[in-house]
Amino acid sequence: MNYYKWNIFSSRKNRVKARAEQIYNISEQVTSFFWDTENHPDFEEREGQQDMAFEILDALKKDQHILVEAGVGIGKSYAYLVPLLLYNHCTRKPAIIATSTIALQEQLLNDAAALQERLETRCEVTLAKGQANYLCRKRAEEYLERPDAEMPDALRELIDKGFQDRADFPGDFPASLWDRICITRYGYPCRNCHHSCAYRRMREAIRFTDGIVICNQDFLTAHLQKLFRGQDGLINRTVEVVVIDEAHNLEGKVRSATTDRISQNGLLKMISEAQNDVMSTEIPYIQKDINTAQRAVRAFFQCLQRQMQQQIADSTQDMKYAERFFFKDDPEALALLSSMAEALDALSENIQVYSTYDLRRGSRYSGADDFYTKAEDLLDMVSDLGSSLLWIERRGDRAELVYCPENTQDIISNLYFRGDVCTILTSATMTNAAQGSLPERYAYFISNTGFPLDESGFLSEPKPSPFPYDEHAMIYYCDDLPHPREDHDAFIQRGVERLIEILEISNGKALVLFTAKTDLEEVYMALQQRKLPYKILMQQPGASQDQVLSEFRNDVNSVLLGTGAYWEGIDIRGKSLSNLVIFRLPFPVPDPIIEHKVSLAKDGMMDVRVPEMIIRLKQGIGRLIRSFSDKGIVSIIDPRLRNQPKERYHDVVWASIPIHNRTTSLAELRTFYQSLMDEANPNN
């Protein structure tokens, strides 16, 4: 054991020493790039961007992980791309950049190409999207053979053109159709068309690349999990540097990657597919176990369904469209869960005994093997319930059981901060406070991820946005409305009236963000009845948002109501979005994961609920100012940020918001907005 510790220490010491000279040479080039503006006069010099780039180099030199909040407009992509491209060019060691959105991945691919021309580097950059973004030729051919196939001629034409990436297909291509033809299981059933499979070629390329791989956080987590288990990873294992952009989503992505789910239909289908590997003459020997397992599955999910319906019936408005519900571990539910797990395990064991290789058709896929794995995993979870977090999720009108390890923080720490890789984490919203020591300001992110606070980790001073917020923006907040939860109906009624007054100031041109779909629908119906002089648009559930966003951009005076991803997934510049409205502070709704965090915290409100709200609020407000020329107003329709009497989170919330210019007067807000418009149109 002592030798092992010495060997790790020696290895790290040697890495630091070897990198020192390399980083010195790279630093000279980074300095030249950011400070020698004559070589690229079209670039704007940004101090925060330069500081971030050199902090990243220093972290590489010292073999440290680094955490840095970079405000909107800093140019954080260039701040890490320039050092990373030069580092790869110098060392020929592969690197990974992981984000949470395809839009940013595609932007980074373009940015890297532009930078390589300026830096005179030659680095292979590969965009590795998830498998659902690629066409499966075999599934597509099978679908086209169906008599009820949708758009067969158009689909055949696109396939004949060689289109395989979802981005190659038209924007209005039906999502439901894409789900029928995309890859769902890598290696199966398209094993015979691997030479023409774009996804397979990409997967093979990144295993041996010495360049940079741009992927999503789910893909990176799956790669690191394989390495942690001693298996071959998805990407070249000699990677030394990993960048996590949009890192505020990392905890959720890792939790998702370690989450499993079971449904009644899914389990019954697995039982049916597993039987296909058993000769019909052998089925009678396992029929009793089949019947027992099917009854146990139905009984357990009937219990889940009752739990979910009871919570919906007993809940407040916020739970009407909730996707997650609490799993009540009462004696009945636990007994049914245990009986189901044992019945499925017994059946899977018998199917393994009676299954035959001939019926598996020599395929890499086996229903019996998949069922055995699922049953074994479920039994393991049930045998150690204390280490898992369980909840119910709604899919349509059905309930599913979802579970994951409780210790997500430990998992992230082991995957991202324990190996020989330097991890760079960045986002515009990572701090939960604007004051205090750096560990206090990053406290919520650190508690969720286990980011190291010893010599292996470096906390960067947050880089504020360079945008002139207080010149270009003002916040209006209410102090005279009913409490959103204690008097919900009155809040909605008076909130709509206040919203209409706010929309009149800008003549529309507004994005209105909601925390609950119920609020969104009620407000939308109320606005529709008023026959306002601008179009009211609403986020469409389950549909592509490109169409409604395009309509919002093109109809300058329109108003768009949205929730969910709209808090951080929209980038609309110019007049179309010059009025941002927060309809209720984004405190997290009742949720099993949030409640689990609260149960572990000393102060659930200040340690969990408020940090969650602040990060979400900063993301929402960030939709308004997307460039140096953007101007507008923000309105928070919620009385809980009033000055008197203060809520105990009052000061920390206001200090965290980048816009300090604020008012409770609609008249003052109107005057400010009009002054912005006068500046933009001096001749009017």
Side-chain angles (χ1 to χ4, degrees), residues 505-538:
I505 292 175
S506 58
N507 191 33
K509 306 180 184 67
L511 171 66
V512 188
L513 295 174
F514 295 83
T515 61
K517 291 181 182 179
T518 49
D519 288 0
L520 184 152
E521 292 183 346
E522 287 185 56
V523 172
Y524 177 76
M525 293 299 296
L527 294 179
Q528 289 288 79
Q529 294 171 3
R530 294 302 186 90
K531 300 185 182 336
L532 298 172
Y534 19 80
K535 184 179 294 186
I536 307 297
L537 305 170
M538 182 174 70

Side-chain angles (χ1 to χ4, degrees), residues 29 42 66 120 168 180 189 195 208 309 380 405 407 439 458 494 507 560 578 603 636 674:
Q29 295 173 276
D42 52 323
I66 179 172
E120 298 182 350
D168 295 334
R180 293 175 177 270
H195 294 299
F208 304 103
Q309 293 300 332
D380 287 344
N407 60 335
F458 175 72
R494 292 184 57 186
N507 191 33
L560 175 60
S578 55
D603 184 337
I636 301 176
Q674 189 58 52

Side-chain angles (χ1 to χ4, degrees), residues 295-346:
R295 285 196 300 271
V297 167
R298 292 189 177 99
F300 174 72
F301 281 96
Q302 286 172 2
C303 176
L304 274 196
Q305 197 77 15
R306 289 194 299 272
Q307 286 195 9
M308 184 179 75
Q309 293 300 332
Q310 188 64 50
Q311 290 177 58
I312 293 173
D314 295 344
S315 70
T316 61
Q317 288 273 348
D318 286 345
M319 297 294 285
K320 181 180 177 182
Y321 289 112
E323 295 180 352
R324 290 176 180 166
F325 299 86
F326 295 90
F327 173 68
K328 306 294 185 181
D329 53 352
D330 54 52
E332 179 194 11
L334 291 179
L336 290 172
L337 175 59
S338 179
S339 295
M340 180 182 70
E342 291 171 0
L344 292 172
D345 185 62

Side-chain angles (χ1 to χ4, degrees), residues 440-490:
E440 290 171 336
R441 295 166 74 179
Y442 285 108
Y444 191 60
F445 184 88
I446 293 170
S447 70
N448 287 334
T449 62
F451 183 86
L453 294 178
D454 57 18
E455 64 175 5
S456 67
F458 175 72
L459 298 179
S460 168
E461 187 74 30
K463 308 294 182 284
S465 170
F467 295 156
Y469 282 109
D470 289 337
E471 296 176 24
H472 288 184
M474 173 182 279
I475 291 184
Y476 164 77
Y477 62 106
C478 305
D479 57 6
D480 59 344
L481 294 183
H483 193 284
R485 296 188 65 184
E486 296 174 2
D487 196 356
H488 180 266
D489 291 342

Side-chain angles (χ1 to χ4, degrees), residues 130-145:
Q131 63 184 21
N133 292 283
Y134 294 85
L135 174 81
C136 174
R137 293 291 297 270
K138 182 172 177 62
R139 291 190 75 206
E141 293 295 341
E142 290 175 349
Y143 177 75
L144 285 170
E145 292 176 2

